[in-house]
Amino acid sequence: MVKVNIEQLLKNKGKSKYWLCNQMNITSRNLNKIILGLTKSISFKYIEEFCTYLDCTPNDLFTIEK
């Protein structure tokens, strides 16, 4: 299972989900779906924006849990 580490990255940066939603122009509902793994896919656009605003790489953004 692929886990998205957005909450941990936000915590490390001292930022909130609200801040990220405003930066990315995404609804909190959609962000929460991504965080909880309730989406079937994430567009490259969102991956790029997550990495830009959270100052991370895709390797930091995703982990695989068995």
Side-chain angles (χ1 to χ4, degrees), residues 4 27-40 42:
V4 183
T27 65
S28 60
R29 181 177 181 159
N30 284 340
L31 179 61
N32 283 326
K33 283 183 177 182
I34 293 169
I35 289 171
L36 296 173
L38 300 176
T39 58
K40 299 215 182 253
I42 302 174

Side-chain angles (χ1 to χ4, degrees), residues 1 3 7 10 13 15 20 22-23 28 31 33-35 39 45 49-50 54 57 64:
M1 180 172 143
K3 181 181 178 209
E7 287 183 308
L10 283 169
K13 293 294 235 179
K15 303 289 185 179
L20 186 59
N22 284 333
Q23 296 299 310
S28 60
L31 179 61
K33 283 183 177 182
I34 293 169
I35 289 171
T39 58
K45 174 187 177 264
E49 287 185 6
F50 286 134
L54 297 174
T57 66
I64 296 177

